[in-house]
């Protein structure tokens, strides 16, 4: 069969996480078969979390699994109770700047990234420029390309041991260059994989540019409340002129620790939500019915329940920063991961990941995660290992890379 590869697959890259995860699983299996008592690999490669969801979540899910109404194709756009809870949550995050209603403004999806793709398919024309910051998560780039958009990347500024910062001058240049044809921004704060935080001045500039140039903002809010050091969550739809041009995509995976439940949501202006609803029904058809009541309850209790969880994440972040002191690592202001810039140690990311694996730590090399320069970085996830296991990370890194 002589078959040409579809054009929309051009530029798509593997994200490397699956490869590294498979390697780690095989190594663990070999140890088990051989009866070896070697230390368990540090699993730092995948955005998982070892902190379970709130106790109400498994109980409600178990009940829903035996309920016929939850084992249904209906409702296509999500259960109205969850849609209303999400709308209320967004109205709270924007401090009343929005007046969303579940039925008019919210669609439930099978996870956050499904929501990102559906939104892009409903809003982006072939050849449109879509602005993202980099270092960037490869899964976002792939979805922009699948939707026919052209990623236009704005660098986050890196200083070893310090927080990442947005290059505002470059942001303005990228938007105002007619060659880039920017119609959409796809932004996240804190960002994956850097943990970069967009402050009030950053969002004010984004709002100014979106309003002036009639640009749509897709806001990936998967981690917006996972912020450290008392930083406030700032929702871009709260800025003047942004309510009718912001689409928020959220998820139960990161903030509610419900990765396997596959629940996400899209919230935005009623007119565009009609198109997003059509795409959603043409894509996954319906989100997981047995997961939605649990997601609703978890979202509603998260206003208070999230505090201890964020405190634990910050303790892990702080521990990793102490372990890696003196190495070229970017400080995350939130989220689940940090980046180590291995080219400053004389390594490419893929080779550095192999060396770390030999020392007992599985990480993700960011090869193909953006511009060619992304091969400078490895991603280290600190959400999936407890502090007693993260202690000693510095010694592992130095043994592997400071040769």
């Amino acid at each position: 069969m002589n078959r040409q590869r579809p054009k929309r697959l051009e530029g798509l890259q593997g994200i490397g996480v699956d490869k590294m995860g498979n390697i780690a699983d095989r190594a663990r299996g070999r140890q088990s078969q051989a009866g070896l008592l070697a230390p368990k690999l540090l699993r730092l490669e995948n955005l998982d979390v070892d902190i379970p969801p709130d106790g109400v979540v498994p109980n409600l899910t178990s009940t829903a699994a035996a309920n016929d109404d939850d084992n249904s194709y209906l409702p296509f756009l999500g259960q109205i109770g969850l849609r209303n809870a999400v709308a209320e949550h967004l109205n709270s995050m924007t401090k009343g700047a929005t007046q969303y209603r579940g039925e008019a403004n919210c669609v439930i999806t099978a996870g956050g990234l499904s929501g990102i793709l559906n939104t892009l398919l409903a809003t982006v024309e072939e050849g449109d420029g879509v602005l993202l910051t980099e270092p960037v998560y490869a899964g976002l780039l792939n979805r922009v390309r699948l939707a026919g958009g052209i990623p236009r990347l704005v660098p986050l500024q890196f200083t070893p041991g310090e927080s990442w910062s947005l290059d505002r001058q470059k942001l303005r240049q990228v938007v105002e260059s007619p060659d880039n044809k920017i119609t959409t921004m796809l932004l996240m704060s804190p960002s994956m994989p850097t943990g970069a935080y967009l402050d009030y001045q950053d969002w004010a500039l984004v709002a100014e540019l979106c309003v002036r140039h009639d640009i749509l903002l897709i806001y990936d809010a998967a981690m917006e409340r996972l912020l450290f050091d008392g930083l406030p969550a700032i929702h871009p739809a709260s800025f003047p002129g942004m309510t009718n041009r912001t689409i928020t995509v959220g998820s139960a995976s990161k903030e509610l620790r419900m990765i396997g439940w596959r629940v996400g949501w899209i919230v935005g202006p009623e007119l565009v939500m009609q198109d997003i609803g059509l795409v959603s029904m043409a894509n996954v058809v319906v989100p997981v019915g047995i997961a939605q009541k649990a997601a609703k309850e978890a979202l509603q209790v998260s206003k208070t329940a999230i505090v201890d969880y964020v405190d634990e994440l910050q303790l892990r972040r702080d521990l990793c920063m102490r372990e890696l002191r003196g190495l070229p690592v970017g400080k995350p202001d939130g989220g689940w991961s940090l980046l180590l810039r291995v080219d400053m140690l004389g390594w490419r990311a893929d080779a550095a990941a192999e060396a770390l694996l030999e020392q007992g730590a599985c990480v993700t090399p960011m090869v193909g995660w953006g511009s060619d320069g992304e091969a400078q970085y490895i991603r280290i996830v600190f959400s999936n290992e407890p502090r007693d296991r993260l202690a000693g990370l510095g010694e592992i890194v130095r043994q592997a890379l400071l040769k």
Side-chain angles (χ1 to χ4, degrees):
M1 176 178 169
N2 186 13
R3 178 180 168 276
Q4 206 167 21
R5 195 178 190 216
K7 215 175 159 184
R8 64 179 171 274
L9 297 185
E10 290 179 7
L12 260 65
Q13 299 267 359
I15 63 175
V17 178
D18 52 342
K19 177 183 175 183
M20 295 308 298
N22 290 339
I23 290 171
D25 286 340
R26 286 197 295 270
R28 183 172 60 186
R30 286 195 297 271
Q31 287 180 357
S32 177
Q33 290 173 5
L36 299 176
L37 296 177
K40 179 184 171 186
L41 276 173
L42 269 177
R43 300 300 296 267
L44 310 173
E45 84 286 356
N46 189 30
L47 277 186
D48 276 334
V49 62
D50 67 329
I51 304 169
D54 293 307
V56 69
V57 168
N59 294 334
L60 284 174
T61 305
S62 177
T63 300
N67 180 15
D68 185 59
D69 287 344
D70 294 310
N71 184 28
S72 172
Y73 283 111
L74 300 174
F76 285 135
L77 301 182
Q79 296 175 4
I80 193 61
L82 176 57
R83 293 167 72 187
N84 285 335
V86 169
E88 291 169 7
H89 171 68
L90 263 292
N91 292 337
S92 173
M93 295 303 298
T94 65
K95 296 180 171 54
T98 58
Q99 299 296 322
Y100 295 131
R101 296 181 296 112
E103 188 170 3
N105 303 105
C106 180
V107 168
I108 305 303
T109 63
L113 285 171
S114 172
I116 294 288
L117 179 58
N118 289 350
T119 301
L120 289 166
L121 288 170
T123 59
V124 171
E125 290 277 11
E126 187 83 24
D128 282 354
V130 179
L131 184 147
L132 308 96
T133 58
E134 71 166 340
V136 63
Y137 173 51
L140 292 178
L141 289 179
N142 285 344
R143 284 162 176 82
V144 169
R145 291 171 176 141
L146 275 175
I150 300 173
R152 305 295 189 186
L153 302 179
V154 173
L156 295 165
Q157 296 171 312
F158 172 79
T159 302
E162 301 295 332
S163 299
W164 299 80
S165 61
L166 178 66
D167 188 335
R168 296 177 193 158
Q169 182 178 358
K170 184 66 174 178
L171 174 70
R172 188 181 292 276
Q173 289 174 352
V174 170
V175 169
E176 295 182 344
S177 170
D179 294 337
N180 290 328
K181 294 177 59 181
I182 302 295
T183 66
T184 306
M185 296 190 196
L186 173 51
L187 298 177
M188 185 178 190
S189 176
S191 175
M192 284 196 311
T194 59
Y197 171 75
L198 300 186
D199 64 19
Y200 185 89
Q201 287 74 25
D202 295 331
W203 282 122
L205 176 58
V206 167
E208 174 201 326
L209 294 171
C210 285
V211 171
R212 180 180 299 172
H213 300 284
D214 194 24
I215 293 170
L216 178 73
L217 172 64
I218 302 173
Y219 174 48
D220 185 343
M223 294 185 173
E224 71 173 336
R225 293 182 292 167
L226 304 186
L227 296 170
F228 307 146
D229 305 312
L231 290 170
I234 303 170
H235 198 291
S238 63
F239 284 76
M242 292 302 292
T243 300
N244 290 325
R245 63 178 71 250
T246 301
I247 301 172
T248 301
V249 182
S251 168
S253 295
K254 310 298 191 304
E255 291 194 346
L256 308 182
R257 307 181 302 283
M258 294 174 62
I259 299 172
W261 278 257
R262 308 314 304 134
V263 176
W265 46 81
I266 310 168
V267 181
E270 185 171 357
L271 186 61
V272 73
M273 290 308 300
Q274 294 174 11
D275 287 341
I276 290 173
L278 287 172
V279 172
S280 296
M281 286 189 285
N283 188 0
V284 179
V285 181
V286 63
V288 181
I290 63 173
Q292 293 183 56
K293 288 185 175 67
K296 170 182 173 289
E297 184 68 19
L299 181 62
Q300 290 176 324
V301 303
S302 66
K303 189 169 185 178
T304 55
I306 201 170
V307 175
D308 290 343
Y309 165 43
V310 172
D311 287 346
E312 173 60 26
L313 290 175
Q314 180 172 329
L315 288 170
R316 296 183 187 192
R317 188 278 310 259
D318 292 345
L319 173 59
C320 289
M321 293 300 296
R322 288 195 300 272
E323 288 284 330
L324 301 174
R325 184 179 289 123
L327 297 173
V329 60
K331 179 183 177 183
D333 287 323
W336 281 5
S337 63
L338 55 80
L339 301 188
L340 177 67
R341 186 168 172 177
V342 294
D343 69 315
M344 297 179 76
L345 302 174
W347 292 82
R348 269 187 57 88
D350 46 4
E354 290 181 12
L356 282 162
L357 187 61
E358 291 177 3
Q359 293 295 324
C362 190
V363 302
T364 299
M366 290 175 53
V367 177
W369 281 42
S371 64
D372 291 341
E374 299 293 333
Q376 302 169 95
Y377 296 101
I378 58 170
R379 184 184 72 175
I380 296 174
V381 175
F382 52 80
S383 60
N384 200 32
E385 292 280 8
R387 277 176 276 153
D388 63 338
R389 297 255 303 147
L390 291 170
L393 173 62
E395 181 180 355
I396 290 173
V397 172
R398 289 176 175 85
Q399 286 283 343
L401 302 184
L402 299 187
K403 297 180 180 178

